Amino acid sequence: IQSSPAQQFFNKRDALHSFFSMLTSVAEVNGKYYCTGYCWDSINYIGNNQAWGIEGVKFAVFDTYGNKIIDTIYQKNGKDIAAANGKLLPQPDGSFLLAADETDTNGKWYLNIMRFDTTGKVIWEKEFPKPLCTDVSPNDDFWRLLDFQPDSFGNWLMLSTIVCGTPGNGIQHDMFLMKLDSSFNLIWQKQYGYPNMNDYAGKLLIEHDGYILAGGRSNSNLVRKNFIFNAEMYKVDTSGNHLWHWLSDGQKKIGTIKDVIRTQDGGYLYCGMGDGYEVLSANQSFSIPEFKGWVEKIDLNRNVLWNKTINDEYSNWPSTEQRMLMELPDGKAVVAGSLW
């Protein structure tokens, strides 16, 4: 959610010049709307008559009336760039920063920071290879960027979900936080999770005394029914050391936090999916979880004050969730998401 001083309202559809495009971030600068997202544009040939679509970054610019000015892409031979979760960040020098995750043709994962000029040209980038936390087979490997933000001291924080595990003993997802200096050199990186559970990252909240890693805990890839779904938050200090941990009500099935804000009263408001239940298969050997859109308010001491469902019907589609929050000056909140 972003307010715009341009005050020009429009609703337009544009096919964009790619096989598939999905704009996921917008930044309004001087009356123009700079957008980035995910796209397929061409293919990589990998031998033996095999090919795959190259995932790249769509970069588009629209004027104050919604007319397209620029439509271009950034892609790499032999690598996929997944910018679906990256937020385009305008910089004082007129450039834009965007973070994304990448994979190469060998199945190796990276996080990448790119600096774009106003025409969509990449003028600088830096890759971070996935840490070898444990031995994970290529088919199970995974590292997904979820958030990228600056702090008030010129440092940068990257929050991601990383897969670790030992082949034969299962794998698990953990939250992973990296702190970079103003030149994007690594200061420290730390992993947060619980044994035999999945801890998925969702959103980073930067506070004066540390950082809150918001996400969710689940055993959904470890069992076939009787799932655990909890919203969760890790609070760490500016060196990444653990301060406190919060889990939502264990009697309720609440999905991964997609956005969290600190409210004027000192508490927290978060959104995502919640009020879940399981639909058992005919032979009761497995179940499918279903959810509604969800918003919950907790106080400064992490006590639940209230919660609300957004839609009236349940869905097992991950797109049925609330994704963004904004608190208004009068204390009311705007929540945005999707219903399926």
Side-chain angles (χ1 to χ4, degrees):
I1 302 175
Q2 179 178 328
S3 61
S4 170
Q7 295 301 312
Q8 178 64 43
F9 303 97
F10 56 83
N11 183 2
K12 293 190 177 183
R13 181 187 296 270
D14 194 295
L16 301 173
H17 298 305
S18 294
F19 173 72
F20 170 83
S21 297
M22 177 175 62
L23 298 179
T24 56
S25 182
V26 58
E28 192 277 329
V29 179
N30 297 327
K32 295 179 180 179
Y33 299 95
Y34 294 83
C35 305
T36 52
Y38 173 93
C39 74
W40 294 347
D41 190 80
S42 55
I43 58 176
N44 267 320
Y45 290 97
I46 57 177
N48 298 321
N49 295 317
Q50 298 182 67
W52 66 359
I54 300 176
E55 300 172 15
V57 179
K58 171 62 67 173
F59 189 101
V61 183
F62 301 86
D63 67 15
T64 189
Y65 301 101
N67 301 309
K68 186 172 66 178
I69 304 170
I70 294 173
D71 180 354
T72 186
I73 63 167
Y74 176 62
Q75 59 186 19
K76 298 180 179 181
N77 289 327
K79 284 190 176 180
D80 285 337
I81 310 173
N85 295 315
K87 182 178 180 181
L88 190 64
L89 302 173
Q91 299 302 296
D93 64 358
S95 66
F96 298 87
L97 288 177
L98 179 71
D101 45 86
E102 295 182 352
T103 51
D104 64 19
T105 53
N106 295 315
K108 295 182 179 179
W109 287 79
Y110 308 81
L111 296 189
N112 188 16
I113 301 172
M114 296 157 281
R115 187 184 295 274
F116 289 84
D117 66 15
T118 55
T119 68
K121 179 182 178 181
V122 172
I123 53 180
W124 174 91
E125 66 180 305
K126 185 170 185 176
E127 291 181 341
F128 297 87
K130 181 178 182 282
L132 296 175
C133 52
T134 50
D135 187 15
V136 180
S137 66
N139 291 335
D140 293 328
D141 210 0
F142 183 83
W143 196 19
R144 177 71 71 205
L145 174 82
L146 274 303
D147 208 351
F148 175 58
Q149 295 185 43
D151 66 13
S152 58
F153 302 100
N155 303 306
W156 290 86
L157 285 301
M158 282 202 294
L159 177 65
S160 59
T161 297
I162 195 168
V163 160
C164 293
T166 303
N169 294 323
I171 61 171
Q172 69 181 58
H173 298 70
D174 288 333
M175 297 188 193
F176 196 80
L177 185 63
M178 301 170 67
K179 185 171 184 176
L180 313 174
D181 65 19
S182 58
S183 298
F184 304 101
N185 299 306
L186 181 65
I187 300 174
W188 53 256
Q189 57 188 22
K190 295 194 177 182
Q191 190 170 329
Y192 306 88
Y194 189 79
N196 301 314
M197 295 291 286
N198 293 309
D199 292 87
Y200 299 100
K203 183 70 175 180
L204 180 67
L205 180 61
I206 296 179
E207 302 192 305
H208 72 280
D209 59 346
Y211 319 114
I212 290 181
L213 290 62
R217 176 170 291 177
S218 173
N219 64 346
S220 58
N221 74 329
L222 305 174
V223 297
R224 302 190 69 196
K225 61 180 181 179
N226 300 321
F227 300 123
I228 296 170
F229 288 98
N230 292 117
E232 72 172 329
M233 288 187 247
Y234 280 96
K235 176 67 179 282
V236 301
D237 64 19
T238 56
S239 296
N241 301 309
H242 179 270
L243 296 177
W244 53 257
H245 178 245
W246 176 83
L247 285 174
S248 62
D249 185 351
Q251 301 303 310
K252 300 179 184 292
K253 297 185 187 301
I254 302 175
T256 298
I257 295 173
K258 297 299 181 179
D259 198 8
V260 60
I261 59 174
R262 193 77 182 261
T263 51
Q264 298 173 28
D265 60 7
Y268 300 91
L269 185 69
Y270 76 88
C271 65
M273 296 188 299
D275 194 29
Y277 79 106
E278 298 180 45
V279 181
L280 278 170
S281 62
N283 62 6
Q284 298 191 351
S285 64
F286 68 92
S287 67
I288 298 174
E290 299 201 349
F291 298 90
K292 295 181 179 180
W294 183 259
V295 181
E296 185 161 85
K297 178 72 166 66
I298 59 179
D299 65 19
L300 177 63
N301 297 313
R302 283 91 66 192
N303 300 304
V304 175
L305 299 179
W306 54 262
N307 47 58
K308 301 286 184 182
T309 56
I310 302 299
N311 51 318
D312 295 328
E313 297 182 4
Y314 285 94
S315 173
N316 60 12
W317 287 87
S319 56
T320 302
E321 60 190 0
Q322 302 308 298
R323 289 181 169 269
M324 295 183 180
L325 289 167
M326 176 186 291
E327 188 176 26
L328 303 177
D330 62 1
K332 295 180 180 179
V334 177
V335 59
S338 56
L339 305 177
W340 188 277

